[in-house]
Each structure stands twice: as structure tokens, then as C-alpha cells.
Amino acid sequence: MEKITTIGTKIGLTTDDLIKYGDYIAKVKAFNFSHLPKKAKFILVTAINPTKAGEGKTTCSIGIADMLNHLGYQTTLALREPSLGPVFGLKGSATGGGECVMQPENEINLHYTGDFHAITTANNMVSAIIDNILYWGNALQIDPAKVVWQRCLDVNDRALRNVEIKINDKIHRNEHFQITAASEIMAILGLSKDFNDLRRRLDQAIVAYNFKNEPVYLQQLQITGSLLALLKDAVLPNLVQTKYGTPLFVHCGPFANISHGANSLIATDLALKLSDYVVSEVGFGSDLGFEKFNDIINLKKEYTPDCTVLVATIRTLKLHGGADETKLATVDLVSLKKGLVHLEHHIKIIQNYRLNFVVCLNQFATDGSEEITLVTNWLTEQKIPFGINNTYHLGIKDNPLLAKTIIEQTTRPQQYQLLFNPGTTSLTDKIKIICEKIYQTTKVTFSAVAQEKIAFYQQDDKYKTWPVCMAKNHQTIFGNKDPNDDHITIRDLKINSGAEYFIAYLADIITMPGLNKKPNALEIDVVNDQIINIK
């Protein structure tokens, strides 16, 4: 690894701009650069619906950025921070793989600069103050049954999904923990543009409703200053590097299935000011993170990607074509051909926004040559720009064709469009339009609970322009276990008034994951002062 000061100089950062966390990690005083205009071409990486193991979207993002730098294009990455939940659970490391890795890997995967701890603490401090108010006479007349703020923890712990807490002998209430990545503080921090915006968003977060069914705002708790003290450093983006020395901001980590799924706007904004090209990714498939990036983050068209990269793999296409999950390493042209329908669906999602895009076929060692030919021939016939990625194995020695195709696409004009007019489209219609244009189904059912909440919020013009964050299972387009079941059920709705969006919960989506039967936590160890087996 290069010293972090050396990495900083590649994008014009001096030692005065950095707060060092050892030799290889630093926080950046991002607000020193508030006066600078954005200048970079923006490359946004998304994917088709992944398998449980993931298909290499982060690996591709890193590989593309490394290749661009190798070809002489000054490029910076902006990616999300890993959550301890998946690291110790099923997914494991979230720092890439092979030649395409963030460094230092173990530190980024674990405590890093403490951002997640600060977010968790700030979030739970809000809960503690709410319950303290209930204990000491309830001056705000909070209805204990209508506390909407939830505690969080950055560990997969299904036992905490639904718990009962005792305030005193007379007051008990139900609590629902969620993972830190799904918390509103995470969403607020990720969407804030500066420290003042962070304060504003914290103040306007609704934490509960009183006995008159009026909202109780976080500002009324009188702890915004304390929360800002906890988040003072967490709001600053973190600078690290890739194996090949590409500057890399890794900051904030909202999940894309239950939150908006992008790294912090502060990090993206800074990267766009300091580089010629910026590569970023959004979580899970284009039906989740990519849709949310466009319909939540880019409503004002401030972060329109110049090229979108759609990552696909042979094995995932076979899975979506009906192949046995245990036999994805076996050549299966029948399932692969059926899986092209799934790829076509994701292509249409991107085309909804009229964006330039490239399909990135991330090659695995088990891919058969005839399978690769089948997919590339189909893409050629459809006149879809594409490239094959082998940076996992080859790093910057990979064929540069994919990188050059991406650069070419960033030069082409595009007529970007939103799915709907955020100011005139009703909350109900926003949900229906996402279902119709992204999931490609009109079979949408609203539960009685969801209908009641939508009716309540649609009475207030203050929320008229706010977008919807769809919370659903990431493994299928429709969020159902059966990939052919195209019925969408909106079972509940929640307002995240600090993040300034609504969350629509589909089917049985949960915001606190559980651990698998043999989680990665069973393998991790420390040997000779070195952490091993985070993989």
C-alpha cells in the first residue's frame, strides 16, 4: 500500500485536508472544497438480481476504476462501507476480491473509522431519550404505541426484531430493532450535503406521534447538538485505496433492499470535484439501488450518470433461467438462454431513464466458452454495448475494451428522464409507476394498513414531492420467493422525514437480518496479531 498522503496527492489533497487514522486511512475535510464545481464524468455501476453469494459488482467497480487510471484517465472510486452484519453472516467481506480490492481490507471490513458505531450510538440515543421522556411524566404526551423511531444494531440478530420493553411498572411498549444500515440516521447522514443540512434533517425527523396523533419531531427532544457531537467525524468521507493505488472514498453504507443503497452524497460530490472520472455503485440489482438512485437521490438531476454499467454473470443468468443453484458451474445453455429474459428486463429498467449504458459480463473461471458466445451474440444482435470483465484475475492486465467502451459511452448525448413528476404525482401513483415501469407489473395490492397511512400522509402538501423507497427482497424482481409471481403487495408504509422519503414495505421484507446456520463468524480468527478468514 501507498501512504494515504500519497493517495491524497493524486486528487489534489494536501496533508492539511486529511485527518489521518494511521498510515493508510484518512478522513477528508470535504467542506474545504464546497466552493469547487463538479467536473467529472460519472460512471454508475449496477447489476441484475444477484445470487446469495453476490456476483462481483464491487469487484467490477474497482476493476473498471483501476483500468481507467491505468489507461491515463484520472479516476476516483466512491463506494459504501461494509456492515458487520453481512461480514460475520453469509456474505462476508465487502471489499472486493482477487486483484480488485479495497485496502486495508480488514480495517475497512471491521471498525474502520468508527462511522457505523457513531451512527448506531446516535440512533439509540434518540430511543433512550424517548423512553426517558415516557419515564419522567411524558411531557411531550408521546403515545407509547406510536413510537416510530427504532433502535438499531450492526449485527444480524433476529431475536431483536420484535421485543417488549418496560419503561416503568405502568408503561410497556413494543420495540423493533433494525440493522444499522437500515436506520434513519444512516439514511440522513448519507443524503446530507453538509453539516447544516445534517442538522436540518435530524431536527425534522419524526420520532413518534402524540395522543392527538400529531407528529413529534426529533428537534423537540432537544438533543440535536448531542447527536451532531457524535456524528461530527462520521459526516466526513473516508479515503483509502485499491490494490493498484486508485483513490477510493468509502463512506456510509445503507442497504439497497431496505434503504436507498448508495454511498454518501458528500463523498460522491467531493469525488466529482477532484477527478476527471468517478466510478460508484449502488446496491443489489437495477430494480433496487439503481432505481432508488434515480428516483430518490437524483430527483433534481444533480448526479445524473454519464454511463451506467450493468453487471451480469453467466451463473446468475442460468439461475434466473431455472438452473439448480448447486449446479451453476455446469454448462447449461438451456437455462442460460431462458435467463436472457432476466437480463433484458434490467436493460429495460435502465432504458426507462434514457441513460447511456454498457453491459459488463463479469467472467468466472467456470464459464463455458459456448456460454459466453451465446450471451455476447445475443447482446450483439440486440445492439447493446458490452464488454467482458476479467479484472478479478488479471487486474490492470485485463483487456481494456470494456473500459474504452465505457469511456466512449460517457461522450454520447443522452436525454435523461425521471419516471414521474415528483411534485404532481401522488404517493399512491409513485408506488404504482415504480411497479409498472421497474418491476413491469400492474398487479399491485395495498394492505389496509398501507392505505390508511398513505391517506394520512397525502393530506399534507409538505410531503407531496417526497419520493418512495421500495423495501423488498433483492433476489427476484418482484420480491417474491417465486420469481414468476408478479404480484406486488404493499403491506406497510413508513415516513423517514429526516431522509425526506417514504418507505414502502413489500411482502415479508425484514429490516433486521438473521444469521445463517454456519455464519462467517465461526471462521474468523486472529493469528500472530493478524486477522484471518474475512472472506
Side-chain angles (χ1 to χ4, degrees):
M1 288 184 286
E2 299 178 65
K3 294 293 179 68
I4 199 62
T5 49
T6 303
I7 296 297
T9 59
K10 295 181 179 182
I11 48 176
L13 298 173
T14 69
T15 53
D16 290 338
D17 299 317
L18 304 178
I19 302 170
K20 292 176 63 181
Y21 284 63
D23 289 334
Y24 306 110
I25 300 173
K27 281 197 168 286
V28 182
K29 300 174 185 177
F31 308 131
N32 288 357
F33 303 91
S34 299
H35 62 288
L36 294 181
K38 295 191 285 287
K39 64 173 185 174
K41 293 284 190 180
F42 187 32
I43 299 162
L44 189 65
V45 181
T46 184
I48 61 177
N49 292 87
T51 63
K52 293 177 181 177
E55 302 309 313
K57 180 154 47 66
T58 300
T59 299
C60 290
S61 301
I62 295 170
I64 289 166
D66 284 339
M67 282 297 298
L68 292 177
N69 266 323
H70 178 64
L71 293 172
Y73 302 99
Q74 186 195 47
T75 306
T76 299
L77 276 155
L79 302 175
R80 288 173 298 161
E81 295 183 42
S83 162
L84 293 179
V87 168
F88 289 108
L90 175 64
K91 185 175 181 182
S93 172
T95 52
E99 292 291 293
C100 305
V101 291
M102 313 176 195
Q103 292 184 331
E105 290 182 76
N106 286 339
E107 286 82 350
I108 296 170
N109 272 311
L110 297 176
H111 301 288
Y112 200 24
T113 55
D115 293 345
F116 272 58
H117 300 314
I119 291 166
T120 303
T121 304
N123 183 92
N124 292 344
M125 182 177 175
V126 175
S127 294
I129 293 295
I130 292 169
D131 290 332
N132 194 51
I133 289 170
L134 292 173
Y135 180 86
W136 289 105
N138 199 2
L140 296 179
Q141 291 296 289
I142 294 170
D143 184 343
K146 294 182 179 179
V147 175
V148 294
W149 192 271
Q150 297 179 342
R151 285 175 166 84
C152 71
L153 190 68
D154 195 34
V155 173
N156 292 356
D157 193 344
R158 63 172 61 84
L160 293 177
R161 287 174 185 163
N162 299 292
V163 296
E164 184 180 354
I165 58 177
K166 180 179 178 180
I167 310 299
N168 56 34
D169 290 339
K170 294 183 179 179
I171 303 175
H172 297 226
R173 73 176 184 87
N174 294 323
E175 178 65 286
H176 309 279
F177 277 74
Q178 56 191 348
I179 197 161
T180 298
S183 68
E184 187 167 2
I185 295 277
M186 177 66 80
I188 288 171
L189 194 70
L191 293 171
S192 296
K193 291 193 171 183
D194 53 40
F195 203 71
N196 288 333
D197 193 30
L198 174 61
R199 181 189 293 273
R200 178 186 69 83
R201 288 174 178 273
L202 288 171
D203 275 342
Q204 71 181 29
I206 295 173
V207 299
Y209 290 85
N210 62 24
F211 290 113
K212 295 180 180 179
N213 206 31
E214 300 165 332
V216 177
Y217 294 96
L218 194 151
Q219 185 179 31
Q220 295 172 256
L221 305 185
Q222 301 180 40
I223 58 167
T224 306
S226 292
L227 300 183
L228 290 170
L230 288 169
L231 299 170
K232 178 178 71 71
D233 295 329
V235 74
L236 299 177
N238 309 297
L239 178 67
V240 286
Q241 63 190 285
T242 71
K243 180 177 180 178
Y244 289 99
T246 295
L248 166 60
F249 293 121
V250 181
H251 191 221
C252 290
F255 288 167
N257 57 343
I258 45 184
S259 190
H260 63 271
N263 61 273
S264 76
L265 276 187
I266 291 173
T268 298
D269 197 71
L270 182 62
L272 290 168
K273 292 174 177 179
L274 301 180
S275 314
D276 294 328
Y277 291 86
V278 171
V279 178
S280 187
E281 70 165 21
V282 281
F284 296 121
S286 69
D287 56 311
L288 281 168
F290 175 78
E291 179 270 315
K292 294 174 182 183
F293 186 90
N294 289 282
D295 296 328
I296 296 175
I297 293 172
N298 199 37
L299 279 179
K300 296 182 180 179
K301 302 182 181 180
E302 297 176 282
Y303 300 96
T304 304
D306 297 285
C307 178
T308 299
V309 178
L310 177 63
V311 176
T313 67
I314 297 290
R315 59 189 239 155
T316 310
L317 290 173
K318 288 190 290 191
L319 180 69
H320 290 296
D324 187 327
E325 191 176 41
T326 64
K327 298 179 180 178
L328 297 180
T330 304
V331 173
D332 182 353
L333 297 178
V334 174
S335 295
L336 180 58
K337 191 172 183 178
K338 291 179 181 178
L340 291 175
V341 174
H342 184 82
L343 176 58
E344 186 175 27
H345 190 134
H346 283 276
I347 289 171
K348 288 179 179 177
I349 289 174
I350 298 171
Q351 289 174 332
N352 272 317
Y353 301 94
R354 297 186 181 179
L355 287 166
N356 300 330
F357 69 97
V358 174
V359 171
C360 167
L361 188 61
N362 191 25
Q363 188 171 342
F364 279 63
T366 55
D367 295 345
S369 58
E370 61 269 53
E371 293 178 317
I372 295 172
T373 299
L374 190 155
V375 176
T376 55
N377 282 349
W378 182 84
L379 289 166
T380 302
E381 291 167 4
Q382 302 297 317
K383 297 181 180 180
I384 301 295
F386 70 90
I388 296 176
N389 180 57
N390 273 295
T391 52
Y392 178 95
H393 297 291
L394 301 177
I396 58 175
K397 295 179 181 178
D398 192 15
N399 188 320
L401 182 59
L402 172 62
K404 291 180 177 179
T405 302
I406 292 169
I407 290 294
E408 194 276 328
Q409 288 295 309
T410 65
T411 65
R412 295 180 62 238
Q414 55 185 9
Q415 300 296 320
Y416 182 69
Q417 69 175 18
L418 299 172
L419 286 188
F420 43 73
N421 185 320
T424 59
T425 308
S426 71
L427 179 53
T428 301
D429 285 344
K430 285 173 184 174
I431 293 171
K432 287 181 176 179
I433 289 171
I434 291 172
C435 291
E436 180 181 349
K437 293 190 175 182
I438 302 300
Y439 311 147
Q440 296 177 24
T441 182
T442 56
K443 300 173 184 176
V444 186
T445 301
F446 294 84
S447 72
V449 171
Q451 290 183 56
E452 181 181 351
K453 290 183 179 180
I454 288 171
F456 176 75
Y457 290 118
Q458 286 189 153
Q459 296 175 38
D460 196 330
D461 283 345
K462 178 171 61 176
Y463 306 130
K464 186 169 64 174
T465 62
W466 287 12
V468 180
C469 178
M470 305 290 274
K472 74 176 185 74
N473 185 289
H474 58 276
Q475 292 176 342
T476 65
I477 291 284
F478 308 109
N480 301 315
K481 291 181 180 178
D482 179 357
N484 298 312
D485 181 1
D486 62 350
H487 290 75
I488 300 291
T489 299
I490 310 298
R491 65 169 174 83
D492 202 356
L493 189 93
K494 179 186 176 186
I495 187 171
N496 268 15
S497 55
E500 296 183 340
Y501 61 63
F502 293 95
I503 302 177
Y505 295 98
L506 278 64
D508 56 355
I509 185 69
I510 51 176
T511 58
M512 171 56 86
L515 291 169
N516 46 308
K517 189 173 183 179
K518 293 184 178 180
N520 290 326
L522 304 182
E523 306 295 328
I524 297 169
D525 204 347
V526 179
V527 177
N528 297 325
D529 203 35
Q530 296 295 314
I531 299 170
I532 62 170
N533 294 337
I534 296 182
K535 55 188 178 182

